[in-house]
Amino acid sequence: MSSKSTPRVVIVGAGFGGLNAAQGLAKGPAEITVIDRKNHHTFQPLLYQVATAGLSPGEIAAPIRSILGPYKNVEVLMAEVTGVELNRRMVETPEVEVPYDYLIVAAGAGHSYFGHDEWEPFAPGLKTIEDALEIRRRVLLAFELAERQAAAGESEGPLNFVVVGGGPTGVELAGTLAEVCRHSLAHEFRSIDPSRAHILLIEGGPRVLPVYPEDLSRSAEEQLRHLGVEVRTSTMVNQIEPGAVHFGEVRLPAAVILWAAGVAASPLGKALGVPVDRAGRVTVQPDLSIPGHAEVFVIGDLAAAKDEHGKMLPGVAPVAIQQGRYVAKLIRREIEEAAQGRGQGVRHPFHYWDKGSLATIGRAAAVADFGKIHISGFVAWLSWLFVHIFFLIGFRNRLLVFIQWAWSYVTYERGARLITGSTYLPGWNGSGSSPKADATASQEIHTGAAK
Ligand SMILES: Cc1cc2nc3c(=O)[nH]c(=O)nc-3n(C[C@H](O)[C@H](O)[C@H](O)COP(=O)(O)OP(=O)(O)OC[C@H]3O[C@@H](n4cnc5c(N)ncnc54)[C@H](O)[C@@H]3O)c2cc1C
């Protein structure tokens, strides 16, 4: 421990893992410093609702300072952590160095373009509020530009929306985009018919939601088709350019391309200088500490942690939450033991309690995997809704989101349809015309949106 009488615990990241660790240590026998580059905690499972104009950012995010405000032993620093000096026990930021006795790194993950980072500007991913607002801007802008073009009597272009990646994020984005086109916007344009927009979900593997049991993947695909999404499995995207995506021999012009295909752990994992896996996740010990440094823990999406059977734990919120609570309890106990002059007890390994998985697909469409019980459709969707609203931070947010949801369920209304910022859409040329189709390759796929 440091020379100060009260030990200091530094937590990097105020996502699900970091926040739960901080709350577990609050009012305890340590000084806690939470460092995050953002001033807010984001409830990522509802980001797709912001991206598709169903909810506003303030309804799914909350200031870290206000969440942790009630705890006097917790301070919050808004800063970018650039590295950790393990031997000096120092967290580095461009402005200050922060010493620690215990360190919890919970910096999460970002997107991976599998070595094609140049695709990112043309096919944004969904991870932060900023990403969600950018996707919302592009989606809404595409309809406005198509309407303007059709109103000017210019030749109609295809209004294609392509989502790359059939995991939970790709599935919920594609399904909800279909709902927006078929219902929310259907009657508001005069020169185009948004309901004829074409939503394509491309998945490289043989089925969507690959981590779910096969029957639920099949059900998810059926539900997507029912919502109006074209699903292409076993299809690899091999090139993305402004306004077009390539797969096989096909070049498909697309007004909006979204990337939901790959996850890469925060670079902070590598910066620790300990072994990481191919996705950059830190290989942790059974107690979530890193090799050779029992005082440093890595949790959540940044950790490559295994269960008792050697199976890798998934990158989902409940894993991060349970790991945050586990590490907090462990540190608290050790600090108390040290204060009482007792020797350190044995560290029991982290055990993940898997309560099941839920994936939403769209309006009244979802799948739920509760071990032996598999549910699809409306009941799964209702379960998803209640679980996710229940876990939202803050009563006000929960109530607001519930009211918004109930309202939009009845009316199909999506209340946050604001285009803010630039009116540039990659691939849409300045005169207002859409990306030109490759006549040979894309005939079979295009669906014009013009009336
Ligand atoms: C679109 C989307 C939908 C999802 N849906 C679901 C779902 O329905 N159910 C589910 O269980 N899981 C879902 N997940 C996964 C879940 O959100 C993650 O597993 C969970 O957020 C991981 O928690 P974490 O604490 O490890 O990281 P995060 O919650 O990502 O938090 C990381 C924090 O670290 C901060 N940070 C990162 N780098 C630095 C740095 N260098 N310096 C300072 N701060 C830094 C970030 O700002 C962030 O606040 C979804 C994820 C996404 C992206």
Side-chain angles (χ1 to χ4, degrees), residues 397-438:
N397 288 16
R398 258 174 246 167
L399 192 66
L400 278 177
V401 168
F402 185 74
I403 293 169
Q404 284 274 26
W405 226 301
W407 180 251
S408 66
Y409 190 78
V410 178
T411 61
Y412 284 99
E413 179 58 40
R414 299 191 82 79
R417 276 172 23 213
L418 310 180
I419 298 174
T420 51
S422 152
T423 51
Y424 164 73
L425 194 59
W428 203 288
N429 81 34
S431 65
S433 64
S434 63
K436 289 279 172 271
D438 177 325

Side-chain angles (χ1 to χ4, degrees), residues 13 15-17 36-37 44-45 79-81 106-108 126 300-301 315-318 320 388:
F16 285 104
D36 200 296
R37 60 178 166 209
Q44 291 172 5
E80 174 89 30
V81 172
L126 182 61
D301 283 3
V316 292
H388 286 79

Side-chain angles (χ1 to χ4, degrees), residues 158-162 241-245 252-257 425-428 435 446:
L159 200 50
N160 294 324
F161 294 84
V162 176
E241 59 181 277
V245 55
L252 177 69
V256 178
I257 307 164
L425 194 59
W428 203 288
H446 294 162

Side-chain angles (χ1 to χ4, degrees), residues 24-341:
L25 285 159
K27 298 183 181 161
E31 293 295 335
I32 319 299
T33 302
V34 176
I35 310 179
D36 200 296
R37 60 178 166 209
K38 307 270 184 201
N39 82 328
H40 53 269
H41 165 81
T42 304
F43 191 80
Q44 291 172 5
L46 287 179
L47 273 173
Y48 81 100
Q49 281 291 336
V50 175
T52 53
L55 294 171
S56 297
E59 287 159 352
I60 69 149
I64 299 163
R65 213 167 272 294
S66 81
I67 301 168
L68 297 174
Y71 311 115
K72 295 287 170 253
N73 66 330
V74 182
E75 70 167 350
V76 177
L77 285 184
M78 186 176 143
E80 174 89 30
V81 172
T82 48
V84 177
E85 278 260 9
L86 291 174
N87 294 333
R88 285 173 54 229
R89 296 194 177 187
M90 207 61 87
V91 171
E92 295 168 336
T93 79
E95 296 81 19
V96 283
E97 286 192 325
V98 186
Y100 63 82
D101 297 299
Y102 284 99
L103 173 65
I104 304 171
V105 188
H111 315 294
S112 166
Y113 286 80
F114 305 121
H116 289 284
D117 287 352
E118 72 277 9
W119 294 351
E120 188 167 8
F122 320 130
L126 182 61
K127 188 74 195 168
T128 61
I129 293 283
E130 288 85 348
D131 295 337
L133 292 177
E134 176 57 14
I135 291 173
R136 181 180 85 179
R137 188 189 74 79
R138 290 188 191 203
V139 169
L140 298 177
L141 190 59
F143 287 104
E144 295 300 336
L145 295 181
E147 173 83 350
R148 197 166 75 192
Q149 180 182 297
E154 288 177 27
S155 65
E156 73 183 61
L159 200 50
N160 294 324
F161 294 84
V162 176
V163 180
V164 185
T169 301
V171 163
E172 66 195 10
L173 273 174
T176 315
L177 273 178
E179 180 190 330
V180 170
C181 300
R182 307 276 179 272
H183 299 289
S184 311
L185 300 181
H187 307 294
E188 294 193 0
F189 290 80
R190 300 295 169 256
S191 302
I192 61 163
D193 177 1
S195 70
R196 291 177 60 208
H198 175 218
I199 319 291
L200 174 63
L201 176 66
I202 300 179
E203 162 60 35
R207 58 191 176 101
V208 298
L209 299 182
V211 298
Y212 280 69
E214 256 186 88
D215 60 315
L216 290 181
S217 286
R218 266 199 313 278
S219 166
E221 202 170 318
E222 272 162 32
Q223 293 182 67
L224 280 165
R225 294 215 160 96
H226 183 72
L227 288 168
V229 177
E230 181 190 341
V231 180
R232 289 199 166 211
T233 49
S234 304
T235 303
M236 296 301 286
V237 165
N238 44 41
Q239 168 70 357
I240 296 178
E241 59 181 277
V245 55
H246 298 240
F247 44 93
E249 297 300 307
V250 176
R251 173 187 178 276
L252 177 69
V256 178
I257 307 164
L258 303 178
W259 185 258
V263 174
S266 156
L268 265 189
K270 235 183 194 162
L272 286 173
V274 291
V276 294
D277 69 5
R278 272 193 357 194
R281 291 176 303 181
V282 176
T283 311
V284 290
Q285 315 271 70
D287 63 359
L288 308 179
S289 67
I290 61 172
H293 288 274
E295 74 288 0
V296 178
F297 300 87
V298 178
I299 62 171
D301 283 3
L302 183 54
K306 292 182 176 159
D307 68 12
E308 312 60 55
H309 311 293
K311 200 172 148 218
M312 195 65 78
L313 295 177
V316 292
V319 171
I321 291 169
Q322 291 180 33
Q323 290 181 333
R325 289 178 185 158
Y326 162 87
V327 169
K329 210 167 150 193
L330 184 156
I331 293 175
R332 231 178 141 129
R333 199 200 66 215
E334 289 191 357
I335 291 174
E336 279 161 7
E337 282 167 352
Q340 292 159 8

Side-chain angles (χ1 to χ4, degrees), residues 223 363-366 375-384 409:
Q223 293 182 67
R363 187 185 165 83
I375 309 173
S376 295
F378 184 68
V379 177
W381 181 75
L382 265 190
S383 322
W384 187 93
Y409 190 78

